[in-house]
Amino acid sequence: MDTKTLMEWSAKYHTPNYGRTPLVLVRGEGTRVWDSDNREYLDFTTGIAVTGLGHCHPVITGAIREAAATLLHVSNIFHNAPQVHLAKLLVEHSFADRVFFCNSGAEANEAALKVVRKYAKERLSSDRYEVIATNNSFHGRTLATVSATGQPKYHHGFEPLMPGFKHVPYNDLRAMERALDSHTAAILVEPIQGEGGVNIPDDGYLPGLRKLCDDSGALLIFDEVQTGVGRTGRLWAYQHWGVEPDVMTLAKALANGIPIGAMLCREDVATALTAGSHGSTFAGSAFVTSVALATLTTIIGDKLPERADHRGRELMDGARELQETLPVIKEVRGRGLLIGIELTKPAAPVVDACREAGLLVLTAGEKVVRLAPPLIVESADCKRALEILGGALAAAAK
Ligand SMILES: Cc1ncc(COP(=O)(O)O)c(C=O)c1O
């Protein structure tokens, strides 16, 4: 079928909730994708920070083939071996003692919100149910997670939102301290805000939140749906600050593109999830956990977080060099391969110009160009991406 008809049908048959780029992508390999006219692109979007190992990585393709031919789904009425091995691997490489699997980032955050409410009500006090989140955050699109999300544009039309959430400015410890009260069950933050503009907190922020939680009994939830699994140059972003949460949520990159989510927590928190209190039909199927196991084993075994750290520094140095001659760049910030280039102008035309020149990049908020290449990206691809970006930014500056 020709590209034009496909896009017309897409516009006709889908609900109109996505503002889609006018491209039909048909094939991917490593850092590259091809469209239906066989044009090649460098993919610095990775399906929004999902395909950390790039497209069609041979280990992942092999794991998918083998898992598909062995066992797809049996439900959580039964045990399945890959799910157990994945939970063990996650526990051995994080702060956590226990893992709950689900199917997306929003579901992982739903599980986190449910567990902290139940824990606080049962262990602390029956009126401790509130979660304090931050402005500009993004936690998902279900009613609870959109209520937790601190961006009014995602709320419009869906009110009344779920009660039990407060929002305070990100990176503002005093505001968080003032908001904490006898109803607070938990604080929910992204260690680095992704969708909100690649916002990196001051060094004292996450340790300060840890202390506020320790002093008040509230639980600390880190939403690492975007920052986790090596993206920021550490396996988990919280490792940059040496602070451990009580609950952490993951999704996106955990199975390199096969849908999965996970909520990890400490032992005593997990005990709130008594048998039958929470669950999901598809969660942690033998298929998806086999693929996640292959993904995580490769990311850890090939030391890809370290590699992401090096490549990220190269990219940020290059972007800062561009800044010297292009005042349209206000700031370059990031950790590892989650990089934001804040502009003095809207970012969307720059994203379009990059695409025309063969580079796919994201926005994060109105004025930030977000780069999220795969963790396996080569230096030569970073150089090429910077050339294209430089050209697009120079045109935007005119
Ligand atoms: C930090 C964060 N949390 C949660 C989500 C929601 O994940 P999902 O789209 O898989 O529901 C996202 C998605 O972008 C995210 O970036």
Side-chain angles (χ1 to χ4, degrees):
M1 174 160 301
D2 67 280
T3 306
K4 188 167 164 284
T5 310
L6 260 177
M7 286 203 236
E8 280 168 9
W9 284 13
S10 175
K12 183 172 177 198
Y13 294 113
H14 289 135
T15 54
N17 52 305
Y18 294 111
R20 292 186 205 257
T21 305
L23 277 191
V24 178
L25 297 177
V26 295
R27 190 162 64 85
E29 193 183 315
T31 313
R32 287 172 167 69
V33 286
W34 285 263
D35 72 9
S36 46
D37 298 323
N38 209 26
R39 269 202 76 192
E40 183 181 308
Y41 300 85
L42 261 180
D43 182 10
F44 275 39
T45 69
T46 49
I48 320 185
V50 168
T51 50
L53 293 175
H55 296 284
C56 301
H57 188 288
V59 171
I60 301 308
T61 305
I64 290 172
R65 285 211 174 98
E66 197 182 323
T70 307
L71 185 69
L72 279 185
H73 171 83
V74 291
S75 92
N76 288 299
I77 295 172
F78 305 101
H79 298 277
N80 79 70
Q83 189 186 102
V84 178
H85 288 301
L86 180 62
K88 182 168 178 284
L89 191 65
L90 284 166
V91 164
E92 285 168 355
H93 288 274
S94 73
F95 75 96
D97 302 307
R98 300 275 180 163
V99 185
F100 167 80
F101 289 113
C102 49
N103 311 288
S104 67
E107 276 186 50
N109 284 329
E110 285 275 348
L113 294 169
K114 284 180 79 173
V115 77
V116 298
R117 272 196 178 189
K118 199 156 181 290
Y119 174 90
K121 279 190 177 198
E122 291 173 358
R123 299 299 173 81
L124 305 175
S125 149
S126 59
D127 61 353
R128 279 188 87 152
Y129 57 86
E130 240 172 30
V131 171
I132 310 177
T134 58
N135 297 344
N136 271 324
S137 58
F138 188 85
H139 299 295
R141 304 287 198 145
T142 60
L143 264 178
T145 58
V146 94
S147 303
T149 293
Q151 300 194 55
K153 68 178 180 190
Y154 295 116
H155 299 159
H156 288 318
F158 300 117
E159 299 89 349
L161 299 177
M162 239 192 88
F165 295 98
K166 272 191 211 164
H167 292 95
V168 296
Y170 187 67
N171 198 24
D172 185 339
L173 268 181
R174 296 210 117 206
M176 188 64 84
E177 190 173 1
R178 278 197 297 272
L180 265 167
D181 62 25
S182 59
H183 299 299
T184 310
I187 290 172
L188 165 64
V189 293
E190 295 155 84
I192 295 172
Q193 286 188 334
E195 303 294 312
V198 189
N199 301 319
I200 299 171
D202 296 337
D203 282 346
Y205 185 58
L206 299 181
L209 293 183
R210 179 70 271 171
K211 183 161 185 334
L212 287 179
C213 287
D214 290 343
D215 292 348
S216 66
L219 296 174
L220 183 59
I221 311 170
F222 284 163
D223 176 343
E224 292 235 22
V225 166
Q226 185 154 162
T227 54
V229 201
R231 164 85 18 219
T232 72
R234 300 285 172 93
L235 194 54
W236 320 118
Y238 70 73
Q239 293 171 318
H240 288 288
W241 290 277
V243 177
E244 294 187 342
D246 303 300
V247 178
M248 172 169 81
T249 54
L250 302 175
K252 288 190 183 279
L254 188 53
N256 210 55
I258 306 293
I260 188 169
M263 187 279 293
L264 286 70
C265 60
R266 287 194 288 111
E267 182 72 37
D268 58 327
V269 178
T271 56
L273 289 185
T274 46
S277 61
H278 192 49
S280 161
T281 300
F282 286 127
S285 73
F287 176 73
V288 69
T289 50
S290 298
V291 182
L293 202 51
T295 304
L296 197 58
T297 306
T298 306
I299 285 175
I300 294 168
D302 291 358
K303 297 195 168 32
L304 293 183
E306 286 93 321
R307 193 185 157 112
D309 185 57
H310 290 137
R311 289 290 109 79
R313 284 172 202 274
E314 285 169 22
L315 267 172
M316 282 188 278
D317 286 349
R320 287 188 184 115
E321 261 172 47
L322 292 177
Q323 189 182 13
E324 285 168 18
T325 54
L326 291 168
V328 68
I329 301 181
K330 194 172 160 201
E331 192 187 17
V332 177
R333 52 183 184 252
R335 283 281 193 287
L337 289 171
L338 182 58
I339 296 169
I341 303 173
E342 185 172 348
L343 309 181
T344 56
K345 293 186 169 178
V350 176
V351 172
D352 292 343
C354 285
R355 185 178 68 247
E356 287 301 313
L359 170 69
L360 304 181
V361 294
L362 297 158
T363 57
E366 198 205 337
K367 292 185 176 168
V368 178
V369 175
R370 181 174 27 155
L371 309 181
L375 311 186
I376 50 136
V377 71
E378 301 283 352
S379 290
D381 291 332
C382 294
K383 283 206 185 89
R384 178 71 193 127
L386 285 165
E387 275 166 25
I388 294 175
L389 197 59
L393 288 166
K398 279 182 192 151

